[in-house]
Structures are given as C-alpha cells and as structure tokens.
C-alpha cells in the first residue's frame, strides 16, 4: 500500500493512539506514599508531605503542606517569605498546584502574602479560573482570609542593596541565575498524584517578570493516568518548551521518567548550540512510583522520600 493510501484509510492516525493506550495500561499504579521535590530544602518539605500521606491524607494535601514549609522559612531566599526581590526591591511570588483530577490553580506576581500555594489552591477550588495575578490575586487572597505581611527580610534586603551597588558592571542584563524553586510531586496511598510549585522567581528580575513556576504545563504538570513533573531553573526556557507537560507526555509515549527528563532538557540544550550557560532541572514521578531527575548543569539536588527514607540526591549535569 502507498503512503497516500495509508493516510486515506486512516491507518496512520489510528496506530499511534493504540500504542499509547497499551503503554498506559501496562504501567501499574503504585500505592506506597512517595514524595519527590527539588533542592535541599525539599528534605524538610518532603518530611511534612510524608506526615500527611502516612496519616492517609491525599496527595493534594501533602503537596500543599510540604511546600508551605519552604514558603514559611525566611532563610530560604528563593521561596515565600525571605525570597529575593525583583530589581526594584519588591518580593513577588509565583505558585501553582494541580490535583489528581486535572484541576489546577495558580497565582503570579503576588505580593505580601506568605503562602502563594494556598492561594493557588483556593483559586482552583473556589473559582472557575486557573490563574490570578498581581493585585487581583492579592485582593482574592485577602478576601479569603490570608494575612498581608512584609516578605522582604533584612537579609534579602541587604543582598539586594549589595547587588544594586554592583549593577551596571556584572548584572546589567537583568536577572542573574540564582534560583531554587521548590517543585514537589506526591503519590498517596490510593495511588493518586498531585503536584505543587512555588517560588520568588529569578533574583532581581525585571519588575513584572513571571517565570515558569505558576504556568501549568511549564513549571508543573500532573496527569493522574501517567505521572507528574516539575521544573526549576531558568523559567523562560521551561516556558518555551512547555517543559513539565513535555516530560509527562514523553512518559506517556513510553520514555522512562529519567529519559523523559533528559529528553526535555535535550530540547533546551540543542536550542542553545549544545552548551547553554544556565541551569534547568526536572523531576518526574510516574504512576508506578518510578522517579526521574535530570539537570543541564551540575549542582542540582532533589529530595526523595518513600516509606523507609528521606534523602537528598545529587544529580550529575548533562553537559558538566
Ligand atoms: N524557575 C524559576 C523561575 O524561572 C526559578 C527557579 O527555579 O528558582 O522563576
């Protein structure tokens, strides 16, 4: 049969979905609680998420409780209170959350509210929208009982002032590469998946800049049939490649979580001539409990918690 005839009979369009379904059905759903998150502060976040899962709580409650630990810690200068400000000295937060039903909520450019992930959850549960930004997100938060507070700690303010003094020499082009967003993925004891991602974004970014972290499909994606993925690093690159959605879709096509993370990074690396001068990393959790983690450059760490352990793991960069 000629290729043209294949197309006419519709064979080409039906073969691929059949293969995909076969993949979905052969992956068994794990039922042991598991949590994976980005960077070293993920260890404490995982611990909290695991408490929820061990008491038979949902993956959704677990991911929110987990990342709230990082948001509330003023010593973590990349998330929540204590986050590094933008160029003008304002701390602006981005976060999102997704549940096992495919529901999603998100906030971006949110100021003066310590727990953007919880505001994102309220957007998901109480509105018909997915994403609220800026003053609208803040008003929504206050209406729903969130307290307004100053998020710029003395330490972050001093670091910002120091950066400003040097500006014009080194960091003239805007945001530097200083980042440590927390993306956290969890599976509960009935096998359901959820994820959350929260950040103050790139340090000293241009005012108004929003990264990948609150963008569903970029900083985070959950498909309860397949798996979940989360990102950290240079958000612009993650957005341009729809990174977390891509990782999940690659798993759907049969890639292991590890290979899916590597291939998604490969697309960024190839776009930058094989040697990008920035970091991006992905974590992935497939519905059978298998995990993956990969980074463009060295230095990335992820925290993994299962029944018997809660450990930080170092990842070798793909290009160094
Ligand atoms: N992905 C975040 C952003 O671009 C930065 C980070 O991972 O810390 O806003």
């Amino acid at each position: 049969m000629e290729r043209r005839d294949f197309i006419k009979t519709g064979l080409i369009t039906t073969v691929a979905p059949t293969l995909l379904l076969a993949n979905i059905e052969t992956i068994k759903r794990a039922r042991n609680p598991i949590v994976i998150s980005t960077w070293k502060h993920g260890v404490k976040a995982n611990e909290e998420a695991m408490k929820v899962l061990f008491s038979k709580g949902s993956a959704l409650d677990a991911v929110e409780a987990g990342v709230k630990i990082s948001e509330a810690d003023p010593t973590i200068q990349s998330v929540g209170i204590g986050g590094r400000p933008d160029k003008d000295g304002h701390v602006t937060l981005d976060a999102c959350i997704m549940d096992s039903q495919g529901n999603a909520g998100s906030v971006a450019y949110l100021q003066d509210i310590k727990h953007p992930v919880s505001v994102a959850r309220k957007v998901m549960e109480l509105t018909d929208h997915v994403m609220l930004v800026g003053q609208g997100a803040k008003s929504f938060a206050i209406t729903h009982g969130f307290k307004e507070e100053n998020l710029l700690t003395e330490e972050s303010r001093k670091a910002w002032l120091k950066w400003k003094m040097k500006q014009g020499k080194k960091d003239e082009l805007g945001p530097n590469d200083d980042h440590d967003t927390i993306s956290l993925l969890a599976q509960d004891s009935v096998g359901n998946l959820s994820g959350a991602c929260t950040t103050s974004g790139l340090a000293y970014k241009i005012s108004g800049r929003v990264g990948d972290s609150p963008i569903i499909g970029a900083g985070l994606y959950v498909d309860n049939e397949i798996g979940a993925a989360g990102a950290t690093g240079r958000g612009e690159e993650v957005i341009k490649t729809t990174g977390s959605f891509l990782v999940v879709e690659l798993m759907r096509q049969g890639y292991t979580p590890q290979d899916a993370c590597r291939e998604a990074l490969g697309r960024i690396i190839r776009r930058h001539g094989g040697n990008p001068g920035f970091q991006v990393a992905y974590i992935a959790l497939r519905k059978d409990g298998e995990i993956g983690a990969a980074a463009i450059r060295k230095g990335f760490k992820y925290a993994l918690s299962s029944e018997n352990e809660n450990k930080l793991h170092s990842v070798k960069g793909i290009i160094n």
Side-chain angles (χ1 to χ4, degrees):
M1 199 187 284
E2 295 285 330
R3 186 172 174 273
R4 208 180 307 133
D5 297 320
F6 255 96
I7 294 169
K8 269 198 215 137
T9 57
L11 272 174
I12 280 179
T13 48
T14 51
V15 170
T18 313
L19 284 174
L20 298 184
L21 277 179
N23 275 336
I24 293 165
E25 277 156 17
T26 51
I27 306 172
K28 293 255 178 316
R29 186 172 297 281
R31 287 177 199 281
N32 296 327
I34 179 163
V35 180
I36 181 169
S37 62
T38 53
W39 303 110
K40 96 168 182 288
H41 44 265
V43 174
K44 278 193 184 159
N46 284 11
E47 207 176 289
E48 194 65 21
M50 269 305 199
K51 278 188 206 158
V52 175
L53 297 178
F54 282 145
S55 53
K56 299 275 178 260
S58 68
L60 181 64
D61 286 341
V63 298
E64 182 188 8
V67 301
K68 279 178 78 174
I69 296 293
S70 307
E71 288 181 340
D73 185 341
T75 67
I76 300 171
Q77 290 182 295
S78 50
V79 183
I81 191 161
R84 290 192 185 87
D86 65 13
K87 254 181 162 49
D88 303 331
H90 303 298
V91 179
T92 70
L93 304 178
D94 300 335
C96 74
I97 192 161
M98 260 191 108
D99 72 8
S100 58
Q101 308 298 305
N103 297 310
S106 154
V107 289
Y109 197 68
L110 176 65
Q111 295 183 54
D112 307 321
I113 305 286
K114 186 163 72 183
H115 288 303
V117 73
S118 300
V119 185
R121 183 167 177 178
K122 290 263 185 268
V123 174
M124 175 173 85
E125 292 179 339
L126 303 179
T127 79
D128 285 333
H129 308 310
V130 169
M131 190 167 193
L132 296 181
V133 305
Q135 187 54 46
K138 183 172 164 181
S139 305
F140 173 83
I142 289 167
T143 305
H144 290 284
F146 290 83
K147 208 173 86 216
E148 205 172 338
E149 56 194 298
N150 174 32
L151 304 180
L152 185 62
T153 56
E154 204 35 40
E155 208 189 339
S156 288
R157 196 179 73 88
K158 278 190 189 143
W160 165 66
L161 287 173
K162 214 165 142 193
W163 171 82
K164 258 171 87 86
M165 305 268 286
K166 281 197 300 193
Q167 209 196 342
K169 294 186 192 128
K170 204 170 136 236
D171 283 307
E172 203 166 30
L173 295 177
N176 62 29
D177 210 18
D178 204 353
H179 46 72
D180 277 353
T181 294
I182 183 156
S183 283
L184 186 147
L185 314 171
Q187 186 164 40
D188 60 29
S189 52
V190 293
N192 282 333
L193 297 165
S194 292
C197 182
T198 176
T199 191
S200 50
L202 290 187
Y204 320 134
K205 59 200 174 187
I206 294 172
S207 175
R209 182 261 188 193
V210 170
D212 60 312
S213 306
I215 312 280
I216 302 299
L220 178 78
Y221 197 71
V222 177
D223 182 333
N224 209 40
E225 250 187 354
I226 306 295
T232 180
R234 184 59 68 100
E236 284 72 9
E237 300 303 322
V238 177
I239 293 172
K240 285 186 272 190
T241 49
T242 332
S244 294
F245 180 73
L246 176 59
V247 172
V248 172
E249 284 306 302
L250 289 167
M251 290 195 281
R252 185 192 299 279
Q253 288 168 28
Y255 281 67
T256 63
Q258 185 63 25
D259 288 346
C261 292
R262 288 180 70 88
E263 170 56 19
L265 293 173
R267 304 226 181 151
I268 296 173
I269 294 169
R270 291 193 289 276
R271 273 170 48 83
H272 289 270
N275 193 17
F278 51 79
Q279 177 69 295
V280 175
Y282 290 115
I283 53 171
L285 171 59
R286 201 168 59 184
K287 69 172 187 173
D288 62 353
E290 186 168 331
I291 62 109
I296 293 180
R297 300 200 158 274
K298 67 177 181 216
F300 176 60
K301 291 181 167 60
Y302 69 92
L304 177 64
S305 304
S306 56
E307 262 168 317
N308 314 315
E309 66 160 33
N310 180 17
K311 261 207 199 135
L312 195 62
H313 300 260
S314 289
V315 172
K316 231 173 121 195
I318 291 177
I319 58 172
N320 64 14

